[in-house]
């Protein structure tokens, strides 16, 4: 039998392919592979936060080296601001091409996926995949990424809120810490701190989705026991708790105990921090790594944290604000490999500990809080064991429910809060008007 | 109905038609026969092809979209003209339309006169360093919107802003909440519009002024005309075509204003600075109501079209040619 050159090449190719297939099957079953033998996978990784890029790049490298993973990962990064990255993703899903394999959805952007079946049509339903693990995590961090009972993203952190304060300044003014109640904070502000030309806290008054910023209002509202929407998606804004929080902020701004910043995260916010215009902030955990450390590195060792001062009327000593859920695109050609990376990074004990160690985002897995790795001293906080503070607060954090009408909430509430902060309306009217306007849009 | 040559040739020949071999033809021969008639169409075709692909089709598609509800995914749901009724009743659209009217009015009645004044100054023989000044006035147009946002946020910040520091230092005025108060925020947007676009509009007026023959001014001066009379009787009438062009362009541009409110206030506080273009973007990309957003776009188009028609009649654009 004679073979032409072409036939010979075809035969050789088929033999190689067969051998490779056999080898792959063997590899998977044996689960013992070297990086060179693995299936190469390039993941289109979209996010707004450099921390996630660093974290998942490290996890991808580990999985590529691991004998337990069949994939050799490469991440193709797309980074843009949190709203823009979702706009880009929505456009890609609509076009049906150029979609991300995984996308980090900042919590306030997730409501866009809650519109009339968008999540179902674009994101991989993770409900069954996380079913066995779900109980090991704080249930409150599944809720923000759940639509019609189905989970579509995995939370990147536990944004527990605390009161950050300048220990050196409060020592100088003779103020004893921790501060126990908001009434105490306001009184100390009026009597001690404001006369020094400083405020007890700063809030963001503009710059958010609706041109205003509801961050600090929302944070305190949830601490006080309120929620914007309930689990069923009904608006639950117009409550005495909301009025109480609005009154606290408006009074604080009028008296100067609270400083209003038009660009909290920009130049004016940085100026306030650098000049020590306020002795404290009430913000989530990410405020330290995302804002404080990069803005005032020279103030290392001067800051401390404590649980949020309590409201006399009740509520928790902490709150939640922010967060990012990572989702896998339903039509991703490498959905399984992407899910494997996400599972390894976020849903394992090691991944949760590494996330805290490397990018300082708090664990959402309950049992991890007992790990000694979380209880080390934080140099920026003067050696304080920040993990210990957060550990005590973690079980009491409120749940933030989402709604397709989050954008409407932000716009209307921000507008009414602006009126309130300018002294043109009362706290009760601001809340009532905002609730009525949102309800009207909800139909 | 069009009938091909082959069909006409076959008419009445019945079965014989199949026996007649087709006349051999080449593309070259066909082209030579039709060249004179088709060549002009080919020359103008690129414009029409591009217009059809990038303008007519998207506009028609947007019109179709405005008659549906659509999140950008899956099937569109036909709602007919309902979107138009809803948008026209939407309080947010009313806010956006009112704000846009403010921006358009400021552009027409503040930017245009200021630009003309600057152009007159730069056209004067008594002003030195004209190139430097012209470049200086034009720079805001080429600056990145991000830089503009950063700069103006810092200038107009209530606590740490340059503006409040200056007002406090010079006049003892209490800090103004420029970006957090609805009226002040709207004014800040208008200040940015003026700062950003006056230099650009000035270029048009300057070009118009430079085209006015000097002899006309000299003749008028010999007849004893003063500066005001020269401006009123020579400059303004001869600038009329440029003024008409600028007025139309400025109105269309101001009606579509997006960047300034978006980068500085994001339409807020509340909806105090929201423009119609911001509203369209918000409805389309943040709330995924693409049909609704397309509807608002068409309403904006209709409004701009009507006002532009009024402007065209007011300035008498095209009348000279007709006369």
């Amino acid at each position: 039998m004679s073979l032409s050159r072409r036939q010979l090449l075809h035969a050789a190719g088929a033999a190689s392919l067969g051998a490779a297939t056999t080898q792959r099957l063997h590899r998977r079953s044996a689960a013992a592979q070297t990086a060179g033998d693995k299936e190469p996978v390039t993941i289109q990784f979209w996010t707004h936060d450099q921390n996630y890029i660093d974290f998942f790049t490290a996890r991808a490298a580990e999985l590529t080296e691991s004998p337990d993973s069949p994939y050799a990962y490469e991440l193709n990064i797309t980074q843009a601001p949190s709203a823009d990255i979702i706009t880009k993703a929505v456009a890609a899903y609509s076009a049906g091409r150029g979609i991300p394999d995984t996308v980090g959805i900042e919590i306030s952007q997730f409501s866009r996926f809650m519109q009339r079946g968008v999540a179902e049509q674009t994101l991989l339903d993770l409900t069954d995949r996380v079913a066995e693990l779900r109980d090991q995590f704080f249930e409150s961090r599944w809720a923000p990424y759940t639509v019609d009972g189905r989970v579509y993203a995995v939370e990147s952190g536990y944004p527990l809120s605390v009161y950050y304060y300048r220990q050196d300044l409060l020592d100088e003014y003779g103020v004893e810490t921790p501060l126990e109640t908001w009434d105490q904070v306001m009184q100390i502000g009026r009597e001690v701190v404001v006369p020094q030309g400083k405020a007890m806290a700063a809030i963001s008054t503009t710059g958010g989705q609706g041109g205003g910023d509801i961050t600090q209002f929302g944070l305190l509202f949830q601490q006080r026991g309120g929620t914007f929407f309930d689990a069923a998606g009904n608006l639950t804004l117009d409550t005495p708790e909301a009025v109480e929080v609005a009154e606290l902020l408006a009074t604080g701004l009028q008296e100067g105990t609270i400083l209003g910043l038009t660009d909290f995260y920009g130049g004016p916010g940085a100026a306030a921090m650098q000049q020590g215009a306020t002795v404290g902030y009430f913000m989530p955990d990410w405020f330290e790594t995302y804002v404080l450390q990069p803005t005032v590195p020279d103030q290392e060792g001067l800051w401390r944290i404590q649980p949020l001062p309590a409201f006399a009327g009740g509520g928790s000593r902490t709150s939640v604000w922010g967060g990012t859920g990572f989702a896998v695109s339903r039509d991703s050609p490498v959905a399984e490999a992407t899910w494997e990376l996400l599972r390894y990074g976020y849903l394992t004990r090691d991944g949760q500990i590494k996330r805290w160690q490397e990018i300082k985002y708090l664990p959402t897995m309950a049992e991890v809080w007992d790990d000694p790795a979380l209880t080390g001293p934080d140099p920026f906080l003067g050696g304080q064991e920040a993990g210990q503070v957060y550990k005590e607060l973690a079980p009491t954090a409120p749940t933030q429910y989402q709604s397709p009408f989050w954008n409407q909430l932000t716009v209307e509430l921000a507008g009414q809060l602006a009126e309130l902060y300018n002294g043109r309306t009362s706290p009760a009217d601001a809340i009532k008007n905002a609730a009525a306007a949102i309800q009207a849009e909800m139909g | 109905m069009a009938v091909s040559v082959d069909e006409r040739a076959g008419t009445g020949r019945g079965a014989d038609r199949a026996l007649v071999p087709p006349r051999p033809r080449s593309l070259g021969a066909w082209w030579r026969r039709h060249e004179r008639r088709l060549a002009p169409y080919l020359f103008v075709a690129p414009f029409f092809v591009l217009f059809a692909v990038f303008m007519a089709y998207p506009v028609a598609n947007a019109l179709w979209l405005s008659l549906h509800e659509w999140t950008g995914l899956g099937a569109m749901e036909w709602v007919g003209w309902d979107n138009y009724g809803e948008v026209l009743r939407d309080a947010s659209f009313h806010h956006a339309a009112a704000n846009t009217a403010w921006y358009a009015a400021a552009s027409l009645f503040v930017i245009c006169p200021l630009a003309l004044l600057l152009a007159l100054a730069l056209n004067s023989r008594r002003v030195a360093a004209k190139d430097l000044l012209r470049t200086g006035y034009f720079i805001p147009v080429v600056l990145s919107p991000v830089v503009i946002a950063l700069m103006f946020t810092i200038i107009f910040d209530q606590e740490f802003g340059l503006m409040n520091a200056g007002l406090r230092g010079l006049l003892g005025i209490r800090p103004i909440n420029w970006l957090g108060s609805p009226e002040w925020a709207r004014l800040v947007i208008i200040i940015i519009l003026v700062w950003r676009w006056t230099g650009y509009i000035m270029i048009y007026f300057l070009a118009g002024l430079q085209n006015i023959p000097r002899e006309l001014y000299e003749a008028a001066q010999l007849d004893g005309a003063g500066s005001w009379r020269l401006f009123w009787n020579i400059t303004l009438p001869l600038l009329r075509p440029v003024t008409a062009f600028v007025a139309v362009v400025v109105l269309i541009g101001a009606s579509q204003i997006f960047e300034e409110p978006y980068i500085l206030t994001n339409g807020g506080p509340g909806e105090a600075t929201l423009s119609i273009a911001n509203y369209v973007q918000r409805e389309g990309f943040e709330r995924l109501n693409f049909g609704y957003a397309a509807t608002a776009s068409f309403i904006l188009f209709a409004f701009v079209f009507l006002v532009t028609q009024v402007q065209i009649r007011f300035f008498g654009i095209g009348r000279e040619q007709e006369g």
Side-chain angles (χ1 to χ4, degrees):
Chain A
M1 190 178 81
S2 67
L3 286 172
S4 69
R5 186 168 175 272
R6 178 171 293 182
Q7 285 169 320
L8 185 64
L9 286 172
H10 279 170
S16 324
L17 190 64
T21 308
T22 312
Q23 199 178 14
R24 187 171 297 166
L25 289 171
H26 173 69
R27 275 205 313 262
R28 288 193 177 176
S29 60
Q33 303 161 60
T34 61
D37 298 332
K38 296 181 173 218
E39 181 183 335
V41 173
T42 301
I43 290 180
Q44 304 301 323
F45 186 93
W46 293 17
T47 181
H48 64 282
D49 187 343
Q50 181 64 39
N51 282 325
Y52 300 131
I53 296 170
D54 297 341
F55 177 77
F56 276 105
T57 301
R59 299 295 82 73
E62 285 172 6
L63 275 182
T64 301
E65 292 302 318
S66 165
D68 297 328
S69 167
Y71 306 111
Y73 287 97
E74 189 180 330
L75 299 190
N76 192 6
I77 307 293
T78 298
Q79 191 177 9
S82 56
D84 298 344
I85 203 87
I86 301 305
T87 300
K88 186 174 164 61
V90 167
Y93 290 130
S94 183
R97 57 200 301 181
I99 62 170
D101 296 310
T102 182
V103 56
I105 308 168
E106 196 271 329
I107 194 166
S108 67
Q109 301 298 322
F110 189 78
S111 64
R112 294 159 80 175
F113 287 89
M114 300 179 84
Q115 313 282 342
R116 290 161 295 185
V118 172
E120 189 187 353
Q121 292 174 70
T122 58
L123 306 178
L124 193 65
D125 182 349
L126 304 177
T127 315
D128 296 335
R129 293 170 189 256
V130 302
E132 284 185 11
L133 300 162
R134 191 163 173 161
D135 290 349
Q136 298 173 35
F137 292 79
F138 290 107
E139 184 62 26
S140 62
R141 299 320 291 173
W142 294 114
Y145 310 104
T146 300
V147 185
D148 297 329
R150 313 302 294 177
V151 175
Y152 288 98
V154 183
E155 177 62 274
S156 297
Y158 201 4
L160 297 171
S161 302
V162 290
Y163 181 65
Y164 293 81
Y165 61 94
R166 285 275 300 271
Q167 182 71 66
D168 58 324
L169 292 176
L170 290 184
D171 284 348
E172 187 186 326
Y173 305 148
V175 176
E176 284 186 17
T177 53
L179 302 168
E180 293 299 331
T181 66
W182 282 113
D183 291 339
Q184 187 190 1
V185 169
M186 292 294 140
Q187 188 186 353
I188 290 171
R190 273 191 302 271
E191 295 173 1
V192 182
V193 176
V194 173
Q196 301 288 338
K198 297 189 189 302
M200 290 299 287
I203 66 168
S204 175
T205 54
T206 61
Q209 259 182 339
D213 196 338
I214 64 167
T215 297
Q216 281 85 11
F217 173 86
L219 191 149
L220 292 189
F221 179 43
Q222 294 188 143
Q223 185 208 348
R224 180 65 185 82
T227 56
F228 290 118
F229 299 95
D230 63 17
N234 302 308
L235 183 72
T236 49
L237 171 64
D238 193 5
T239 58
E241 289 83 5
V243 176
E244 185 182 341
V245 170
E247 191 155 13
L248 175 80
L249 295 178
T251 308
L253 286 167
Q254 270 174 1
E255 294 178 344
T257 48
I258 293 175
L259 175 70
L261 291 170
T262 46
D263 190 1
F264 192 81
Y265 304 102
M273 231 171 254
Q274 283 156 1
Q275 293 174 20
T278 173
V279 300
Y281 294 87
F282 49 96
M283 287 295 284
D285 68 311
W286 46 260
F287 182 69
E288 184 192 338
T289 47
Y290 206 70
V291 183
L292 268 184
Q293 289 184 9
T295 311
V296 282
D298 54 313
Q299 291 176 11
E300 178 173 327
L302 304 181
W303 290 88
R304 302 285 186 280
I305 59 169
Q306 64 148 81
L308 289 176
F311 281 99
S316 171
R317 290 296 299 271
T318 189
S319 186
V320 285
W321 198 260
T324 295
F326 267 86
V328 178
S329 292
R330 193 190 68 172
D331 296 331
S332 162
V334 289
E336 288 308 318
T338 308
W339 164 248
E340 178 58 21
L341 176 64
L342 184 56
R343 191 199 59 78
Y344 175 69
Y346 277 4
L347 297 178
T348 61
R349 186 186 171 93
D350 281 352
Q352 293 263 320
I353 292 171
K354 282 174 183 165
R355 192 172 70 192
W356 164 254
Q357 289 174 328
E358 292 172 18
I359 61 175
K360 289 289 174 193
Y361 287 161
L362 293 168
T364 43
M365 189 183 233
E367 66 172 44
V368 172
W369 285 90
D370 294 326
D371 195 286
L374 264 77
T375 53
D378 184 333
F380 193 82
L381 300 177
Q384 185 182 14
E385 291 207 352
Q388 196 60 37
V389 176
Y390 288 120
K391 182 182 174 183
E392 286 165 19
L393 297 174
T396 65
T399 301
Q400 181 176 324
Y401 294 108
Q402 291 272 32
S403 161
F405 297 98
W406 190 265
N407 183 270
Q408 285 85 337
L409 166 91
T410 311
V411 170
E412 300 298 346
L413 183 57
Q416 286 300 320
L417 288 178
E419 293 287 298
L420 173 67
Y421 297 158
N422 286 311
R424 295 177 177 182
T425 188
S426 68
D429 284 345
I431 297 301
K432 195 170 124 188
N433 294 340
I438 300 159
Q439 195 65 62
E441 294 200 54
M442 290 173 71
Chain B
M1 191 178 83
V3 180
S4 74
V5 173
D6 287 343
E7 282 170 335
R8 283 201 303 271
T11 305
R13 294 189 185 181
D16 292 346
R17 185 183 170 205
L19 301 174
V20 179
R23 201 168 51 182
R25 281 186 294 182
S26 70
L27 190 62
W30 181 87
W31 173 245
R32 275 192 293 279
R33 271 204 314 281
H34 297 91
E35 184 180 3
R36 286 182 64 84
R37 195 156 53 87
L38 293 180
Y41 293 104
L42 284 179
F43 277 111
V44 297
F47 166 78
F48 285 101
V49 170
L50 292 174
F51 181 81
V53 172
F54 294 108
M55 186 65 80
Y57 172 72
V59 168
N61 198 38
L63 181 62
W64 180 243
L65 185 56
S66 74
L67 304 174
H68 294 80
E69 245 184 40
W70 193 45
T71 58
L73 296 156
M76 294 193 282
E77 186 186 336
W78 173 263
V79 293
W81 298 100
D82 289 1
N83 279 339
Y84 286 84
E86 279 185 41
V87 170
L88 288 171
R89 287 192 298 272
D90 188 340
S92 296
F93 183 76
H94 298 163
H95 295 154
N99 295 334
T100 306
W102 271 107
Y103 301 142
S107 301
L108 275 177
F109 302 118
V110 179
I111 294 178
C112 287
L114 268 179
L116 178 58
L117 278 177
L118 282 179
L120 286 168
L122 282 182
N123 198 42
S124 163
R125 288 177 180 170
R126 278 172 281 183
V127 173
K130 285 180 186 169
D131 287 343
L132 184 68
L133 287 171
R134 202 160 37 208
T135 307
Y137 289 129
F138 199 76
I139 279 177
V141 181
V142 293
L143 268 184
S144 155
V146 177
V147 175
I148 295 170
L150 280 174
M151 197 171 71
F152 277 91
T153 306
I154 292 169
I155 290 173
F156 286 102
D157 182 68
Q158 185 179 4
E159 298 294 332
F160 302 93
L162 185 66
M163 186 63 81
N164 276 348
L167 290 173
R168 194 164 34 208
L170 294 173
L171 306 170
I173 293 174
R174 288 184 62 188
I176 294 170
N177 192 0
W178 293 101
L179 301 173
S181 157
E183 293 78 14
W184 290 117
R186 205 175 292 127
L187 180 66
V188 170
I189 299 292
I190 290 173
I191 290 172
I192 296 177
L193 283 176
V194 171
W195 173 81
R196 196 173 180 203
W197 295 109
T198 302
Y200 180 72
I201 301 301
M202 177 201 72
I203 299 291
Y204 290 112
F205 282 122
L206 194 56
L209 287 172
Q210 286 168 351
N211 277 333
I212 299 175
R214 290 269 168 202
E215 303 84 66
L216 291 176
Y217 289 108
E218 288 163 6
Q221 278 169 330
L222 284 175
D223 289 342
S227 301
W228 176 248
R229 218 167 157 74
L230 289 178
F231 174 73
W232 194 253
N233 287 22
I234 296 177
T235 307
L236 267 190
L238 290 177
L239 269 184
R240 191 167 159 165
V242 175
T243 309
F245 170 76
V246 164
V248 171
V249 167
V250 160
L251 182 89
I252 293 172
S255 304
Q256 295 173 347
I257 177 176
F258 176 80
E259 276 181 353
E260 287 83 356
Y262 185 73
I263 58 179
L264 198 72
T265 58
N266 207 358
E271 292 176 336
T273 56
L274 189 78
S275 72
I276 295 183
N278 294 144
Y279 173 89
V280 169
Q281 187 268 349
R282 189 179 80 181
E283 287 299 328
F285 289 100
E286 291 179 18
R287 298 181 179 177
L288 303 187
N289 291 327
F290 284 103
Y292 204 72
T295 306
S297 303
F298 272 96
I299 292 172
L300 173 64
F301 164 75
F303 174 75
V304 172
F305 182 78
L306 283 174
V307 176
T308 308
Q309 290 303 310
V310 171
Q311 280 186 315
I312 286 172
R313 286 179 191 280
F314 178 78
F315 285 106
I317 297 171
R319 263 188 234 150
E320 293 86 346
Q321 287 85 340
E322 285 167 16

